[in-house]
Amino acid sequence: MDLGHRRIAVAAGSAGLTTVADRLAGVSAAVRQRGRSPVDLAVVHSAFTRDGGRAAAERILNEHPETTAIIALNDVMAMGVLSTLRSRRVPVPARMSVVGFDDVSVAADLAPSLTTIRLPMTEMGRTALTLALKPRTTRPRRRPTGHLLVVRDSTGPAPTS
């Protein structure tokens, strides 16, 4: 789904977290698939928490005011992003779209409800256990997982200038 956003920022957790690196790699791949450079993304690292999402949103609004969409690398950060946007009176999704990651149980109950990426957590846990029980190896063990974009009220078309 292409909503026409060209000025996208990422509220990312701490750079050293594998989850952050993997999710950023996925976002970068999606940007490249649409013929754009990941260098164009404004990536702001902060704590992988609600307060971290608030702080990231403040930085994005102050340092990248042209942003029309924020991808938070987990739903808890996205809640913080939404909180900051609400306090700064930035209308969602009319002026800013917000997407989270994980589809936590309250994502559908937020106002606006949060568009998010749902991961197959049960399957991922099963795969992790299977990999952990295998004999030790020197190379990393990674397996791709599926995902589902759950579209809710926090996203809309990019605003026209």
Side-chain angles (χ1 to χ4, degrees):
M1 168 179 30
D2 188 345
L3 296 175
H5 293 277
R6 299 293 175 254
R7 296 177 181 98
I8 302 169
V10 180
S14 302
L17 295 174
T18 303
T19 300
V20 171
D22 290 346
R23 291 178 182 188
L24 271 176
V27 170
S28 295
V31 167
R32 276 192 298 279
Q33 285 175 352
R34 282 157 183 77
R36 299 190 54 231
S37 171
V39 174
D40 295 337
L41 290 173
V43 178
V44 174
H45 292 279
S46 62
F48 219 30
T49 63
R50 187 168 186 247
D51 286 343
R54 284 184 183 135
E58 286 291 345
R59 281 192 51 205
I60 290 165
L61 292 172
N62 292 334
E63 297 172 16
H64 308 281
E66 71 285 355
T67 299
T68 63
I70 299 174
I71 301 169
L73 294 187
N74 73 18
D75 287 348
V76 175
M77 286 188 85
M79 289 178 210
V81 168
L82 288 170
S83 175
T84 292
L85 295 174
R86 188 171 36 256
S87 71
R88 299 263 303 254
R89 301 190 194 295
V90 176
V92 175
R95 160 65 182 88
M96 184 78 69
S97 286
V98 178
V99 178
F101 224 106
D102 292 327
D103 197 21
V104 297
S105 59
V106 299
D109 299 326
L110 298 172
S113 58
L114 181 63
T115 296
T116 186
I117 305 294
R118 180 182 299 154
L119 299 173
M121 299 306 281
T122 303
E123 179 186 326
M124 289 169 58
R126 190 176 304 120
T127 301
L129 179 60
T130 301
L131 291 173
L133 294 174
K134 287 187 174 189
R136 191 176 183 128
T137 180
T138 56
R139 62 187 178 97
R141 294 181 176 155
R142 292 181 179 244
R143 300 290 184 275
T145 61
H147 63 278
L148 176 67
L149 174 63
V150 180
V151 178
R152 296 192 179 109
D153 296 335
S154 68
T155 51
T160 55
S161 303

